[in-house]
Amino acid sequence: MKQLFKEVHELFLATQFTGFMSKSKNRQELYEFANIFFKHLTWLENDFIKNGVEYSYSINQVPIKVEKLSSMINNIIQRIDSIENKLDSCKDGDITYRIRSDFNYIKLVLEKMENEDVSSAFDTKREYPNVTLTDEARDALTIFLFEESYKEYELIMVYNYSKANSSDAFLNRIFQILIDESFFHLRSFGQIMADMGILGVPRSLMEEIYKFNDLKKFLKDGIQEEIGAKEECKRLAEAVSSSSEYFASFFTFINNQENYHIALMEEALEHINKS
């Protein structure tokens, strides 16, 4: 069962990052399938929790460096086949029936996907289409994208773990908003990374990152991290402003979104203090 959980997590990441590589209509379908696989992960996680089973988000590194999309599509199908062979380890028939049904349709769609060259997602040129970046802007953008793509994946999993292990509807509403926001940021950054030829999958999370005992401290630390992220976005907007009006506007947009994340975490802290 734990191996099944691990493989579903890896399947979600493989599908999500394959979506970043694509520049065709395949991208949206891959994003939707990644959403479904993430749901599968949360349902299996809930089964662990109901049965009092300890679990973790530990995974193997997911290799994605390919030249053709078909290579990753075949990899995803192989991952699905491996998971199907392990589904009986989950004793919840409703979950396994749903997952098998999803897999049947998804494999059919994947097998018919149009192939495309995706080698540019890994060519390390660090150039963005129709934008001339200064060396300073290019370096700042590269560092930001690697750091923030990992942070957004981390936040998705941390808030998901907190939500899964909480029965507080007020907090869970906030956690879900933050999960959704981090998905948007991860996808935005991932697409830019692929366009710049520097796409990479985040490393596995250490358990202490999401298995914490003090939610108040986590939220307080999270607020400081968001404030730091705002400053990074502001600096990056300034660094790229002379090179790209689009990037300057984009990072100002991301910066302003962080304001609401801070407000949500402050709201969560206030709720905890009143409880």
Side-chain angles (χ1 to χ4, degrees):
M1 181 68 175
K2 290 185 179 180
Q3 181 61 27
L4 169 67
F5 186 70
K6 184 177 182 179
E7 289 189 23
V8 171
H9 191 162
E10 292 167 357
L11 172 64
F12 151 65
L13 280 175
T15 307
Q16 180 64 83
F17 279 75
T18 301
F20 297 150
M21 301 175 200
S22 175
K23 295 181 181 179
S24 73
K25 64 181 181 179
N26 294 333
R27 172 178 283 175
Q28 190 56 45
E29 285 187 310
L30 288 163
Y31 281 1
E32 295 303 328
F33 294 157
N35 285 341
I36 291 171
F37 297 149
F38 188 76
K39 289 178 185 177
H40 294 169
L41 185 73
T42 64
W43 297 338
L44 293 171
E45 180 175 27
N46 188 56
D47 193 55
F48 279 137
I49 293 167
K50 284 194 300 184
N51 291 289
V53 177
E54 281 289 320
Y55 67 96
S56 78
Y57 291 148
S58 176
I59 57 170
N60 294 321
Q61 187 66 24
V62 177
I64 60 167
K65 190 174 181 179
V66 296
E67 292 189 359
K68 298 292 183 181
L69 191 74
S70 58
S71 297
M72 279 308 301
I73 297 302
N74 290 335
N75 179 272
I76 290 168
I77 292 172
Q78 289 170 8
R79 290 179 183 277
I80 289 173
D81 290 340
S82 177
I83 289 167
E84 283 186 303
N85 291 332
K86 297 178 178 67
L87 274 177
D88 288 341
S89 64
C90 175
K91 303 307 178 184
D92 189 318
D94 292 325
I95 292 175
T96 57
Y97 179 85
R98 168 59 190 269
I99 292 176
R100 289 186 196 278
S101 177
D102 287 349
F103 280 173
N104 287 339
Y105 172 72
I106 290 171
K107 283 201 292 185
L108 184 67
V109 175
L110 290 173
E111 287 166 355
K112 295 181 178 181
M113 272 193 176
E114 175 187 341
N115 195 17
E116 54 184 304
D117 188 327
V118 294
S119 58
S120 62
F122 312 101
D123 62 18
T124 68
K125 287 185 177 178
R126 297 199 302 152
E127 296 174 355
Y128 193 79
N130 304 315
V131 173
T132 302
L133 294 167
T134 65
D135 290 342
E136 177 192 10
R138 183 181 294 106
D139 291 344
L141 183 56
T142 300
I143 293 169
F144 177 89
L145 290 169
F146 275 110
E147 291 180 347
E148 292 302 304
S149 62
Y150 173 77
K151 190 201 83 170
E152 297 300 345
Y153 164 64
E154 176 186 293
L155 289 176
I156 288 167
M157 302 313 299
V158 167
Y159 288 126
N160 183 73
Y161 187 88
S162 298
K163 180 173 178 278
N165 288 277
S166 169
S167 57
D168 189 316
F170 185 92
L171 290 178
N172 284 349
R173 176 187 66 85
I174 291 174
F175 292 148
Q176 187 59 56
I177 293 171
L178 292 169
I179 290 168
D180 293 341
E181 290 284 278
S182 287
F183 261 115
F184 173 73
H185 287 188
L186 175 63
R187 286 176 175 171
S188 298
F189 300 153
Q191 287 172 201
I192 296 173
M193 292 176 79
D195 287 338
M196 293 182 67
I198 55 172
L199 186 62
V201 178
R203 62 188 179 277
S204 183
L205 302 176
M206 295 182 291
E207 284 194 39
E208 55 265 33
I209 290 175
Y210 53 90
K211 291 186 178 181
F212 49 81
N213 297 318
D214 191 338
L215 180 57
K216 287 174 66 174
K217 183 179 184 303
F218 167 75
L219 289 169
K220 288 178 180 177
D221 290 345
I223 289 169
Q224 293 305 310
E225 284 187 15
E226 293 290 354
I227 291 172
K230 277 177 56 62
E231 289 302 312
E232 284 299 313
C233 281
K234 183 179 177 182
R235 281 194 290 269
L236 192 53
E238 291 171 352
V240 301
S241 60
S242 62
S243 299
S244 169
E245 181 181 351
Y246 164 75
F247 274 141
S249 297
F250 172 73
F251 288 111
T252 299
F253 162 67
I254 295 295
N255 176 32
N256 290 334
Q257 288 192 337
E258 304 290 0
N259 291 332
Y260 188 55
H261 301 172
I262 292 170
L264 286 169
M265 286 187 281
E266 288 174 341
E267 192 177 350
L269 269 175
E270 183 179 353
H271 174 76
I272 293 169
N273 289 330
K274 289 179 178 178
S275 300

